[in-house]
Amino acid sequence: MKLYHVVALVAGLVLASLLPLILPKYYTFIFAVTMCFAIYALGYSIILGRTGLLSFGHALYLGVAAYTVAFLMRPEMGAFRIFSMELLLIIAIGTSALVGLGVGAICIRYTRIFFGLINLGFVMLWHSLLLKLYYVTGGTDGLPIYIPSLFGVTFSHEIFRTFIFYYYVLGIFAITTYIMWRIYNSPLGLALKAIRENSVRAEFVGIPIGRYRLAAYVISAIYAGIGGALWAPLNGHVSPDVSTWLTSGDVVLMNILGGMYTFTGPIVGAFIFYNLKVQIMHFTTYWSFILGISAIIFVLLFPGGVMGWVSKVMPKLVKKSYRQKA
Amino acid sequence: MSEKASRRDFVKTAAAGIVGFGLGAGVGYGASQMMAPPPGVARTVTVTQTAAAKPPKGVPKEPIKIGIASWFTGPSTMVGEACLGGAQFAADEINKAGGILGRKIEVLKRDIGTPDVTVEAVRRYVLEDKVDLMAGDTGGSNANAIVPHIEQLKTPFFFQCSTTVKEVEELNPNPLYVFRTGEQNLAEPNVAAQIIAREFPNATKIAGINPDYVYGREAMMYSMMALNKLAPNMKSVLETWPALNATDFSSHITAVLAAKPDVVITACWGGDFVTLAKQATAYGLFKETNVVSILGAMALNSLTKDIVPPGVWMLHRDYYFMAPAPNLYPLNKWFVTEYRKRTNKYPEFDVMQVFSGIFAYKQAIERVYAATGSYPENDEICRAIQNSQVVSPAGHRVITSDGQFINALPYGKTMHHADYPIAILDPKTVGFIQPETVYNPKSLPPVLQYPLGTGMKYSDWIATW
Amino acid sequence: MDTSTAVIIILNGLFYAFSLFLISIGLNMLYGLMRILNIAHGGLYAIGAFSTWALMNAATKAGYPIYVLWLCIPAGAFVVGLIGFFLEPTLFRRLYKLREEYSLLATFGLMLVFDDVLRMIFGGSPLSANQLYNWVGVETILGNAYPMYNFVIYVFAASVALGLWAFFYRTKMGRILRGTAQDREMSTCLGVNASILYTQTFFLTIFIVGLGGAIYLPATSAYSGMGFEPIVLSFAVMIIGGLGSLKGALVAASIIGLVRAFGIALIPELELAVVFLILIITLIFRPRGLFGKKFTREEK
Amino acid sequence: MGIQSDAKIGEKILQTEGLKKYFGEVRAVDHVDLEVSEGEILSIIGPNGSGKTTLLNLISNMIEPDAGRIFFYGRDVTKWPPSRLAKMGLVRSFQIVNLFDGLSVLDNMRAAVTSKLGRTSKPFTSLDRDKEVTRTSIELLELFKLSDKAETLAGDVPHGDRKVLDVALCFALNPKLILLDEPTSGVSTSEKRPVMQRIEEAVRKGGVTAVIVEHDMDIVFGYSDRIIAMHEGKILAEGKPQEIRENEEVRKVVTGGL
């Protein structure tokens, strides 16, 4: 990590921790939610931006984690009800990792469109299960999510949503971001890039592409899980439509918008995407129109995404690697 | 029409309504309520006088914000538009009359979708837009999701017809901020059962085509539960569950036809009912058997003659634009005419419900202000709405202590009439199911409670029939 | 269940299947030729339905005779073609060069745009124009009433299938298309002008899907968001049937349609889930689909 | 096969048994029995479509054979995935340059080196801090005269250098046996010899065995210890450069009037 990275990081953290004091309550809440999606998007970028696999079903892991949390909080759990956020987080990570391992093991045998569509298949299967298993999942109702305790302390719903949980999420966001940074700059990170650039050659220089793709997949699943587990109590409710192929499209858009070949891209993308959504939905119901237009514009004009476009070195690299190899 | 005229009309028709509804709507409840003056109207008049003068003191200057949370995208958009239409209509009328204690009303709309999206929409209304009240038809799933949050956010929400048995009995048994201007979803299956029992005494085989989510499933479940009591000889032979917003019902229809039922119950609504009805006509469902539509009426303005044949039994929740009969109940006549002027549509029950909900809100504020002389907080307003009454185009409404607007439920058999582009209910068949046979007694004011036992689960209550 | 019902159920299954076939065959060709998974296909299907509704509505208001309404169907498809006429040079031609993720995303965006634009124009309420549906009328088949209009659709879909078969196996362009679907380099080997080929295929596919939307309108209804479910199921069809396989698309569509129809009749509980189960199982045991070709190392 | 034969194979670094690959009617490789002994430079020549490249593809398991087996140091590696072969020391270069175009030349090299050192699976250690990897990569780039382009993207460097890099990647894996598919094709005539010299140097120094498919006969006769001439998927002739040069058949079908 170079000096300006450190400076930027510290400055960012300080600014972020000041936000709740200056922002109106609602926006503290919004930013907390945004960070959850940022974690989700960052995790997704390792499978899309790094390994070059487009999954159209990662909302599956968001849903798995969110429902895990909801399920553990159900009154039906009786004595086993869990309200400790830390514990919930760990269990949610566990479940999403397990599901990721199982589903991933099947999915990584494919690339390109097939990879995207088999993921789509899984997320839709999960979705229709959520709808059908009414007594476990609450069907279309979904499940309510109660206020968890943070390090054993329970807060009122207002303090929780519009103040304290923001810092909790911020902390986890910082940690997960740092971990991902390490991964990106590790030999594994390079190997994954190599696989993205040329899987055949990667295999011929001795990189077992299958195992590494699976690794990347599971990592992304875990990040999605963390995002989902944090988002659930913020929103206070979870319903089957967290996990559809359409919601899976959102995270792809976040990555493209921000720039999927840059590290900060997905995070920036998540911030732009979600806040744009919140603002636009404020004055028009034609949100998906604007979303669609911007998707097209970005694909055609800024394939590098915001960050790819902003940074000086990247655009070349990005331009190189998004073109279809003849 | 000019401001003055409209105001006078509204007052006159409303006043006339009190006489009218007795004959026309015939909502059955105690004479005590009959005697009570129609507060809505009385207040309208007083405001009319004060409106011109300076606004009363202690009243905030800024307008009252009403947030409509319903579908403005997707196949159910018509529902959101109906709710918005009703709110806009009420707002315009009230603003013309000088607003609520001089506060003008401003209507916001926000799209909802799935439960979690809806929760967010509601929270945003309160936290960011600082709305004073919310209203909207959200569907059962969303209602179940947001009800706890509404109580947390301490802002009144007027549901139209979205409140499931689960919500009433488990999620929010003692609501303060939640109001149900329409009846609880549990009422309709019950009504359907009563209609079937009454109109098809000889039927034995019942089938269902219901949307595959909590509402559809509850609808079928409680219909059969009630039927088992009213007509034990009737059995459910086949229950099909098309997905919500399905486009192709042919397989479901065929399956049902194969079961040769005497009566088919369907709770499909909105666009679903339109598609279903069209395909049902083609597959001869309406010819082969009798259809009872629990919620098809929601798509009122889409039910053209080529889609809905004569002879389909339809429930209209708590309001049908021809019942209470406009000629007998001028308020309704005025309501329908005005609404058609505004939108060129016939008012669906959602329109009427939002409309009357807002008037109940207005009236509560004015009553508290008149009593205390200070502008009421949300909780005071809500308490004032509970156990009050309001005059609505559908007749006189009693509001229970748990925020339920008590209605008689109109139903009838469709017919085609030259004057109407849509299939209407045959006046000769229109009837009302009385509240005391519809609601969970717990939600009825004492005079209507039957049996007198309270705190009884709906299913238990049916079991007592 | 008795045979007569079974027959009706099979017919219904096909009714549903053909709509998927008409969409997925276009997806299949586009992907086979230019490696674009055109999600916006669902939107084009919707546009076909809506524009046909608008035309029929106008025609009925103007009191034109019934055969004019029949003309509305190809006219509706023509509108879709017109839209393609503007989109192909402005958007799709640029996508050919991009990687799949990007083209996929662009078409996804386009799908969202289509859906909202339709809502802006036609509003949210479902629109139905069933003059033709009623005109064709109802006959009894083995004692059950059945809408004859469905047979119009069967005939139409069958003729499309036949036409495409002739096109694929009897014309040069068709052979090239099949070839390229199997092996991208082939088109260049045969020294065909790719861009012209692309444009022609593009129009062919969107015209088919437009016709699909148009011809199904009288039997169903047009409403905002109608494009999403069929497009997802068409993905399933495309994968199950195998890329670049006409037969595959037809068979897979029929499987899904029939499984669904019988599922509803026999086990009403399961409906959508089964489709995706079939998709996943197919991909696990036969990645290339029923009639697709084997992957090369590059594709793995 | 019996024990003795196993032992016999041991002396050979690579051996194929009845290797066969048909593409429809085309007999690309038709029951080829090939033996490569340690430390030699073996060239495979033949007209286009004689199955040279297919043979390499089969040995490196780029494609699966219809029949036949491949032994590497006496072990049956017919079904081994390329990554495992690479770890074992059987590596190849590609006729059509095959690089990580989006990565810098250095990163191309580092990818190979980390893989060689078995460190690619390390998720948290910093690659830049790994001195060994960087040093080795730089050294290799210097050996192949690419160090000045280390920072540019592999996709942007001139074709000659790309070809060299392609070969260099193989040496980064310090292989036992290296299969070079037309290492000098597309390299400017002036560059050809330097490239081959680097390869020969590497082979002689590092005790590597090389199997080279090449069209340029000067190169072939200049650098090979042994030559195999292929025709229609079969081995036509085999021997020292001199013998091959004088072989009538070969002259007819392969080298032309040389």
Side-chain angles (χ1 to χ4, degrees), chain A residues 54 109-114 118 132 203 245 256 285-286 288-289 303 321-322, chain C residues 31 97 99-100 102 104-105 109 116 119-120 232 243 269 283-284 287 297 299-300:
Chain A
L54 175 76
R109 290 158 54 198
Y110 314 98
T111 59
R112 308 181 12 254
I113 216 67
F114 302 92
I118 192 170
K132 290 288 175 196
E203 198 163 10
W245 70 284
I256 302 287
T285 59
Y286 295 113
S288 52
F289 174 80
S321 41
Y322 76 79
Chain C
Y31 185 76
K97 294 187 299 299
R99 264 164 71 151
E100 283 170 18
Y102 283 86
L104 186 68
L105 211 70
D116 259 11
R119 193 158 53 85
M120 288 178 201
V232 177
L243 286 182
E269 279 308 322
L283 272 173
I284 291 173
R297 186 173 286 283
E299 288 169 331
K300 284 215 181 106

Tab-separated table of all heavy atoms in Angstrom, chain A residues 54 109-114 118 132 203 245 256 285-286 288-289 303 321-322, chain C residues 31 97 99-100 102 104-105 109 116 119-120 232 243 269 283-284 287 297 299-300:
chain	number	residue	atom	x	y	z
A	54	LEU	N	-19.206	-13.889	-15.385
A	54	LEU	CA	-20.393	-13.083	-15.143
A	54	LEU	C	-21.487	-13.954	-14.543
A	54	LEU	O	-22.021	-14.825	-15.218
A	54	LEU	CB	-20.891	-12.453	-16.442
A	54	LEU	CG	-22.209	-11.695	-16.295
A	54	LEU	CD1	-21.986	-10.369	-15.621
A	54	LEU	CD2	-22.863	-11.495	-17.633
A	109	ARG	N	-17.785	-25.179	-13.504
A	109	ARG	CA	-17.463	-26.031	-14.661
A	109	ARG	C	-17.830	-25.327	-15.956
A	109	ARG	O	-17.480	-25.793	-17.038
A	109	ARG	CB	-18.220	-27.350	-14.544
A	109	ARG	CG	-17.680	-28.218	-13.406
A	109	ARG	CD	-18.712	-29.224	-12.951
A	109	ARG	NE	-19.215	-30.034	-14.055
A	109	ARG	CZ	-20.359	-30.729	-14.000
A	109	ARG	NH1	-21.115	-30.650	-12.916
A	109	ARG	NH2	-20.747	-31.448	-15.016
A	110	TYR	N	-18.493	-24.200	-15.845
A	110	TYR	CA	-18.904	-23.473	-17.055
A	110	TYR	C	-18.325	-22.078	-17.029
A	110	TYR	O	-17.954	-21.555	-15.989
A	110	TYR	CB	-20.422	-23.389	-17.134
A	110	TYR	CG	-21.047	-24.700	-16.842
A	110	TYR	CD1	-21.542	-24.978	-15.577
A	110	TYR	CD2	-21.076	-25.694	-17.809
A	110	TYR	CE1	-22.069	-26.215	-15.279
A	110	TYR	CE2	-21.592	-26.926	-17.533
A	110	TYR	CZ	-22.094	-27.186	-16.268
A	110	TYR	OH	-22.595	-28.417	-15.992
A	111	THR	N	-18.283	-21.468	-18.212
A	111	THR	CA	-17.885	-20.065	-18.279
A	111	THR	C	-18.918	-19.350	-19.125
A	111	THR	O	-19.937	-19.911	-19.491
A	111	THR	CB	-16.506	-19.927	-18.958
A	111	THR	OG1	-16.607	-20.483	-20.268
A	111	THR	CG2	-15.448	-20.637	-18.153
A	112	ARG	N	-18.603	-18.071	-19.403
A	112	ARG	CA	-19.426	-17.297	-20.314
A	112	ARG	C	-20.890	-17.383	-19.922
A	112	ARG	O	-21.248	-17.449	-18.767
A	112	ARG	CB	-19.210	-17.791	-21.755
A	112	ARG	CG	-17.767	-17.840	-22.106
A	112	ARG	CD	-17.380	-18.280	-23.478
A	112	ARG	NE	-18.415	-18.372	-24.466
A	112	ARG	CZ	-18.907	-19.530	-24.894
A	112	ARG	NH1	-18.500	-20.658	-24.360
A	112	ARG	NH2	-19.806	-19.539	-25.833
A	113	ILE	N	-21.695	-17.411	-20.959
A	113	ILE	CA	-23.131	-17.353	-20.777
A	113	ILE	C	-23.643	-18.486	-19.898
A	113	ILE	O	-24.531	-18.318	-19.081
A	113	ILE	CB	-23.771	-17.395	-22.183
A	113	ILE	CG1	-24.980	-16.532	-22.169
A	113	ILE	CG2	-23.985	-18.764	-22.679
A	113	ILE	CD1	-24.592	-15.094	-21.989
A	114	PHE	N	-22.994	-19.651	-20.026
A	114	PHE	CA	-23.482	-20.809	-19.276
A	114	PHE	C	-23.327	-20.572	-17.787
A	114	PHE	O	-24.218	-20.845	-16.995
A	114	PHE	CB	-22.723	-22.059	-19.702
A	114	PHE	CG	-22.838	-22.332	-21.160
A	114	PHE	CD1	-21.904	-21.829	-22.044
A	114	PHE	CD2	-23.906	-23.044	-21.662
A	114	PHE	CE1	-22.020	-22.054	-23.393
A	114	PHE	CE2	-24.034	-23.279	-23.007
A	114	PHE	CZ	-23.096	-22.778	-23.880
A	118	ILE	N	-26.534	-20.640	-15.400
A	118	ILE	CA	-26.761	-21.656	-14.369
A	118	ILE	C	-26.894	-20.977	-13.018
A	118	ILE	O	-27.716	-21.357	-12.186
A	118	ILE	CB	-25.649	-22.736	-14.350
A	118	ILE	CG1	-26.114	-23.897	-13.473
A	118	ILE	CG2	-24.333	-22.185	-13.884
A	118	ILE	CD1	-25.226	-25.109	-13.567
A	132	LYS	N	-42.584	-20.969	-2.104
A	132	LYS	CA	-43.426	-22.147	-1.862
A	132	LYS	C	-43.443	-22.544	-0.392
A	132	LYS	O	-44.486	-22.865	0.153
A	132	LYS	CB	-42.907	-23.332	-2.698
A	132	LYS	CG	-43.124	-23.165	-4.185
A	132	LYS	CD	-44.584	-23.302	-4.572
A	132	LYS	CE	-44.799	-23.012	-6.049
A	132	LYS	NZ	-46.197	-22.770	-6.382
A	203	GLU	N	-3.798	-22.230	-17.526
A	203	GLU	CA	-3.688	-23.647	-17.185
A	203	GLU	C	-2.325	-24.176	-17.606
A	203	GLU	O	-1.695	-24.956	-16.895
A	203	GLU	CB	-4.818	-24.433	-17.870
A	203	GLU	CG	-5.042	-25.785	-17.247
A	203	GLU	CD	-6.379	-26.381	-17.616
A	203	GLU	OE1	-7.055	-25.830	-18.503
A	203	GLU	OE2	-6.734	-27.413	-17.017
A	245	TRP	N	-33.338	-12.945	-10.429
A	245	TRP	CA	-32.289	-12.643	-11.424
A	245	TRP	C	-32.216	-11.147	-11.659
A	245	TRP	O	-31.157	-10.612	-11.981
A	245	TRP	CB	-32.535	-13.395	-12.715
A	245	TRP	CG	-33.717	-12.920	-13.506
A	245	TRP	CD1	-35.025	-13.169	-13.225
A	245	TRP	CD2	-33.700	-12.132	-14.688
A	245	TRP	NE1	-35.825	-12.572	-14.166
A	245	TRP	CE2	-35.047	-11.937	-15.078
A	245	TRP	CE3	-32.677	-11.567	-15.467
A	245	TRP	CZ2	-35.392	-11.199	-16.207
A	245	TRP	CZ3	-33.035	-10.841	-16.586
A	245	TRP	CH2	-34.363	-10.665	-16.951
A	256	ILE	N	-20.138	-2.547	-13.127
A	256	ILE	CA	-19.860	-1.898	-14.407
A	256	ILE	C	-19.830	-0.382	-14.225
A	256	ILE	O	-18.909	0.300	-14.672
A	256	ILE	CB	-20.932	-2.269	-15.450
A	256	ILE	CG1	-21.001	-3.781	-15.628
A	256	ILE	CG2	-20.651	-1.581	-16.762
A	256	ILE	CD1	-19.865	-4.382	-16.376
A	285	THR	N	-41.367	7.467	-10.919
A	285	THR	CA	-41.472	6.013	-10.794
A	285	THR	C	-40.747	5.346	-11.960
A	285	THR	O	-40.696	4.136	-12.033
A	285	THR	CB	-42.943	5.567	-10.826
A	285	THR	OG1	-43.507	6.014	-12.067
A	285	THR	CG2	-43.710	6.171	-9.680
A	286	TYR	N	-40.209	6.156	-12.858
A	286	TYR	CA	-39.536	5.580	-14.026
A	286	TYR	C	-38.070	5.336	-13.741
A	286	TYR	O	-37.196	5.681	-14.537
A	286	TYR	CB	-39.729	6.492	-15.240
A	286	TYR	CG	-41.180	6.562	-15.650
A	286	TYR	CD1	-41.895	7.736	-15.513
A	286	TYR	CD2	-41.840	5.434	-16.122
A	286	TYR	CE1	-43.238	7.796	-15.863
A	286	TYR	CE2	-43.173	5.481	-16.464
A	286	TYR	CZ	-43.860	6.657	-16.338
A	286	TYR	OH	-45.187	6.706	-16.682
A	288	SER	N	-36.448	2.467	-13.464
A	288	SER	CA	-35.752	1.451	-14.255
A	288	SER	C	-35.441	1.985	-15.650
A	288	SER	O	-34.468	1.562	-16.270
A	288	SER	CB	-36.593	0.177	-14.352
A	288	SER	OG	-37.884	0.488	-14.803
A	289	PHE	N	-36.217	2.942	-16.117
A	289	PHE	CA	-35.891	3.585	-17.390
A	289	PHE	C	-34.518	4.240	-17.295
A	289	PHE	O	-33.620	3.972	-18.091
A	289	PHE	CB	-36.956	4.640	-17.721
A	289	PHE	CG	-36.647	5.454	-18.946
A	289	PHE	CD1	-36.891	4.935	-20.199
A	289	PHE	CD2	-36.112	6.721	-18.834
A	289	PHE	CE1	-36.606	5.678	-21.332
A	289	PHE	CE2	-35.815	7.471	-19.953
A	289	PHE	CZ	-36.075	6.943	-21.210
A	303	PRO	N	-16.868	1.985	-20.794
A	303	PRO	CA	-16.818	0.573	-20.383
A	303	PRO	C	-15.906	0.373	-19.189
A	303	PRO	O	-16.033	-0.595	-18.472
A	303	PRO	CB	-16.285	-0.150	-21.620
A	303	PRO	CG	-15.819	0.897	-22.539
A	303	PRO	CD	-16.359	2.203	-22.135
A	321	SER	N	-8.929	-5.117	-21.944
A	321	SER	CA	-9.448	-6.399	-21.478
A	321	SER	C	-10.952	-6.531	-21.634
A	321	SER	O	-11.476	-7.583	-21.377
A	321	SER	CB	-9.057	-6.593	-20.024
A	321	SER	OG	-9.215	-5.378	-19.349
A	322	TYR	N	-11.641	-5.471	-22.048
A	322	TYR	CA	-13.063	-5.727	-22.237
A	322	TYR	C	-13.363	-6.127	-23.676
A	322	TYR	O	-14.352	-6.777	-23.938
A	322	TYR	CB	-13.924	-4.548	-21.791
A	322	TYR	CG	-13.949	-3.374	-22.734
A	322	TYR	CD1	-14.752	-3.393	-23.878
A	322	TYR	CD2	-13.199	-2.244	-22.482
A	322	TYR	CE1	-14.785	-2.313	-24.738
A	322	TYR	CE2	-13.231	-1.166	-23.336
A	322	TYR	CZ	-14.018	-1.198	-24.459
A	322	TYR	OH	-14.047	-0.138	-25.318
C	31	TYR	N	-27.436	-15.330	-30.225
C	31	TYR	CA	-26.270	-15.710	-29.436
C	31	TYR	C	-25.314	-16.552	-30.276
C	31	TYR	O	-24.110	-16.310	-30.286
C	31	TYR	CB	-26.669	-16.491	-28.182
C	31	TYR	CG	-25.466	-16.767	-27.329
C	31	TYR	CD1	-24.909	-15.754	-26.567
C	31	TYR	CD2	-24.845	-18.003	-27.343
C	31	TYR	CE1	-23.777	-15.967	-25.826
C	31	TYR	CE2	-23.699	-18.229	-26.607
C	31	TYR	CZ	-23.170	-17.209	-25.848
C	31	TYR	OH	-22.033	-17.422	-25.125
C	97	LYS	N	-18.796	-6.105	-30.933
C	97	LYS	CA	-17.365	-6.119	-30.627
C	97	LYS	C	-17.098	-6.400	-29.154
C	97	LYS	O	-16.023	-6.816	-28.788
C	97	LYS	CB	-16.757	-4.769	-30.995
C	97	LYS	CG	-16.775	-4.473	-32.489
C	97	LYS	CD	-16.011	-3.212	-32.818
C	97	LYS	CE	-16.588	-1.971	-32.157
C	97	LYS	NZ	-17.978	-1.671	-32.569
C	99	ARG	N	-17.320	-7.686	-25.114
C	99	ARG	CA	-17.372	-8.973	-24.428
C	99	ARG	C	-18.794	-9.247	-23.974
C	99	ARG	O	-19.589	-8.328	-23.799
C	99	ARG	CB	-16.434	-8.943	-23.222
C	99	ARG	CG	-15.087	-9.540	-23.526
C	99	ARG	CD	-14.069	-9.169	-22.507
C	99	ARG	NE	-14.323	-9.843	-21.221
C	99	ARG	CZ	-13.331	-10.144	-20.376
C	99	ARG	NH1	-12.091	-9.857	-20.695
C	99	ARG	NH2	-13.588	-10.720	-19.233
C	100	GLU	N	-19.084	-10.528	-23.753
C	100	GLU	CA	-20.461	-10.930	-23.454
C	100	GLU	C	-21.047	-10.177	-22.261
C	100	GLU	O	-22.182	-9.721	-22.311
C	100	GLU	CB	-20.511	-12.432	-23.193
C	100	GLU	CG	-20.453	-13.236	-24.472
C	100	GLU	CD	-20.250	-14.703	-24.180
C	100	GLU	OE1	-20.487	-15.127	-23.045
C	100	GLU	OE2	-19.825	-15.412	-25.100
C	102	TYR	N	-20.663	-7.302	-21.284
C	102	TYR	CA	-21.081	-5.951	-21.613
C	102	TYR	C	-22.326	-5.942	-22.479
C	102	TYR	O	-23.291	-5.232	-22.203
C	102	TYR	CB	-19.932	-5.218	-22.294
C	102	TYR	CG	-18.885	-4.771	-21.314
C	102	TYR	CD1	-17.865	-5.612	-20.918
C	102	TYR	CD2	-18.956	-3.516	-20.737
C	102	TYR	CE1	-16.925	-5.221	-19.992
C	102	TYR	CE2	-18.017	-3.111	-19.819
C	102	TYR	CZ	-17.002	-3.955	-19.444
C	102	TYR	OH	-16.081	-3.566	-18.517
C	104	LEU	N	-24.471	-8.208	-22.704
C	104	LEU	CA	-25.562	-8.707	-21.861
C	104	LEU	C	-26.139	-7.565	-21.055
C	104	LEU	O	-27.348	-7.349	-20.988
C	104	LEU	CB	-25.019	-9.789	-20.928
C	104	LEU	CG	-26.055	-10.510	-20.083
C	104	LEU	CD1	-26.931	-11.351	-20.977
C	104	LEU	CD2	-25.381	-11.393	-19.050
C	105	LEU	N	-25.249	-6.771	-20.476
C	105	LEU	CA	-25.697	-5.685	-19.615
C	105	LEU	C	-26.455	-4.643	-20.411
C	105	LEU	O	-27.495	-4.140	-19.993
C	105	LEU	CB	-24.485	-5.048	-18.959
C	105	LEU	CG	-24.823	-4.497	-17.596
C	105	LEU	CD1	-25.081	-5.658	-16.655
C	105	LEU	CD2	-23.725	-3.628	-17.089
C	109	GLY	N	-30.201	-3.445	-19.825
C	109	GLY	CA	-30.638	-2.059	-19.689
C	109	GLY	C	-31.761	-1.740	-20.669
C	109	GLY	O	-32.783	-1.162	-20.313
C	116	ASP	N	-40.325	0.386	-19.206
C	116	ASP	CA	-40.813	1.664	-18.672
C	116	ASP	C	-41.447	2.516	-19.750
C	116	ASP	O	-42.471	3.154	-19.529
C	116	ASP	CB	-39.661	2.427	-18.002
C	116	ASP	CG	-39.728	2.281	-16.495
C	116	ASP	OD1	-40.522	1.432	-16.039
C	116	ASP	OD2	-39.010	3.004	-15.793
C	119	ARG	N	-44.815	1.537	-20.289
C	119	ARG	CA	-45.687	1.975	-19.194
C	119	ARG	C	-46.025	3.457	-19.353
C	119	ARG	O	-47.158	3.872	-19.111
C	119	ARG	CB	-45.002	1.722	-17.861
C	119	ARG	CG	-45.905	1.843	-16.663
C	119	ARG	CD	-45.325	1.091	-15.496
C	119	ARG	NE	-43.955	1.508	-15.230
C	119	ARG	CZ	-43.650	2.563	-14.474
C	119	ARG	NH1	-44.603	3.284	-13.919
C	119	ARG	NH2	-42.392	2.885	-14.263
C	120	MET	N	-45.014	4.245	-19.788
C	120	MET	CA	-45.274	5.674	-20.001
C	120	MET	C	-46.399	5.837	-21.018
C	120	MET	O	-47.302	6.631	-20.846
C	120	MET	CB	-44.014	6.366	-20.523
C	120	MET	CG	-42.912	6.533	-19.513
C	120	MET	SD	-41.484	7.307	-20.301
C	120	MET	CE	-40.174	6.829	-19.177
C	232	VAL	N	-36.915	-15.097	-19.042
C	232	VAL	CA	-36.138	-15.988	-18.174
C	232	VAL	C	-36.372	-17.432	-18.585
C	232	VAL	O	-35.432	-18.212	-18.746
C	232	VAL	CB	-36.550	-15.797	-16.703
C	232	VAL	CG1	-35.813	-16.772	-15.825
C	232	VAL	CG2	-36.253	-14.395	-16.258
C	243	LEU	N	-27.305	-24.705	-27.592
C	243	LEU	CA	-27.102	-23.528	-28.443
C	243	LEU	C	-27.132	-23.902	-29.910
C	243	LEU	O	-26.707	-24.986	-30.302
C	243	LEU	CB	-25.765	-22.873	-28.113
C	243	LEU	CG	-25.742	-22.114	-26.801
C	243	LEU	CD1	-24.378	-21.472	-26.596
C	243	LEU	CD2	-26.827	-21.067	-26.791
C	269	GLU	N	-49.141	-27.741	-6.649
C	269	GLU	CA	-48.198	-27.046	-5.758
C	269	GLU	C	-46.960	-26.564	-6.509
C	269	GLU	O	-46.546	-25.435	-6.384
C	269	GLU	CB	-47.793	-27.970	-4.612
C	269	GLU	CG	-48.829	-28.013	-3.497
C	269	GLU	CD	-49.203	-26.612	-3.017
C	269	GLU	OE1	-48.304	-25.742	-2.940
C	269	GLU	OE2	-50.394	-26.392	-2.752
C	283	LEU	N	-27.948	-28.784	-17.083
C	283	LEU	CA	-26.600	-28.222	-17.140
C	283	LEU	C	-25.605	-29.110	-16.415
C	283	LEU	O	-24.446	-29.207	-16.803
C	283	LEU	CB	-26.597	-26.818	-16.540
C	283	LEU	CG	-26.916	-25.718	-17.547
C	283	LEU	CD1	-27.068	-24.389	-16.852
C	283	LEU	CD2	-25.844	-25.632	-18.602
C	284	ILE	N	-26.077	-29.786	-15.360
C	284	ILE	CA	-25.146	-30.635	-14.613
C	284	ILE	C	-24.777	-31.872	-15.435
C	284	ILE	O	-23.610	-32.203	-15.599
C	284	ILE	CB	-25.752	-31.047	-13.257
C	284	ILE	CG1	-25.847	-29.813	-12.348
C	284	ILE	CG2	-24.909	-32.128	-12.594
C	284	ILE	CD1	-26.580	-30.056	-11.071
C	287	PRO	N	-24.030	-30.370	-20.090
C	287	PRO	CA	-23.780	-28.924	-20.128
C	287	PRO	C	-24.164	-28.297	-21.459
C	287	PRO	O	-24.664	-27.181	-21.513
C	287	PRO	CB	-22.274	-28.823	-19.916
C	287	PRO	CG	-21.901	-30.070	-19.214
C	287	PRO	CD	-22.853	-31.118	-19.669
C	297	ARG	N	-11.655	-26.517	-25.329
C	297	ARG	CA	-10.967	-26.041	-24.124
C	297	ARG	C	-11.136	-24.524	-23.957
C	297	ARG	O	-11.343	-24.029	-22.855
C	297	ARG	CB	-9.483	-26.391	-24.189
C	297	ARG	CG	-8.743	-26.069	-22.920
C	297	ARG	CD	-7.320	-26.578	-22.954
C	297	ARG	NE	-7.235	-28.026	-22.790
C	297	ARG	CZ	-7.360	-28.645	-21.625
C	297	ARG	NH1	-7.605	-27.963	-20.536
C	297	ARG	NH2	-7.234	-29.953	-21.530
C	299	GLU	N	-13.604	-22.791	-24.543
C	299	GLU	CA	-14.913	-22.429	-24.011
C	299	GLU	C	-15.063	-22.825	-22.550
C	299	GLU	O	-16.011	-22.449	-21.896
C	299	GLU	CB	-16.005	-23.106	-24.845
C	299	GLU	CG	-16.152	-22.486	-26.225
C	299	GLU	CD	-17.025	-23.306	-27.132
C	299	GLU	OE1	-17.076	-24.529	-26.970
C	299	GLU	OE2	-17.665	-22.690	-27.997
C	300	LYS	N	-14.098	-23.606	-22.059
C	300	LYS	CA	-14.230	-24.058	-20.660
C	300	LYS	C	-13.713	-23.005	-19.687
C	300	LYS	O	-13.109	-22.035	-20.093
C	300	LYS	CB	-13.458	-25.354	-20.469
C	300	LYS	CG	-14.205	-26.554	-21.065
C	300	LYS	CD	-13.982	-27.814	-20.227
C	300	LYS	CE	-14.687	-29.008	-20.803
C	300	LYS	NZ	-13.762	-29.941	-21.437
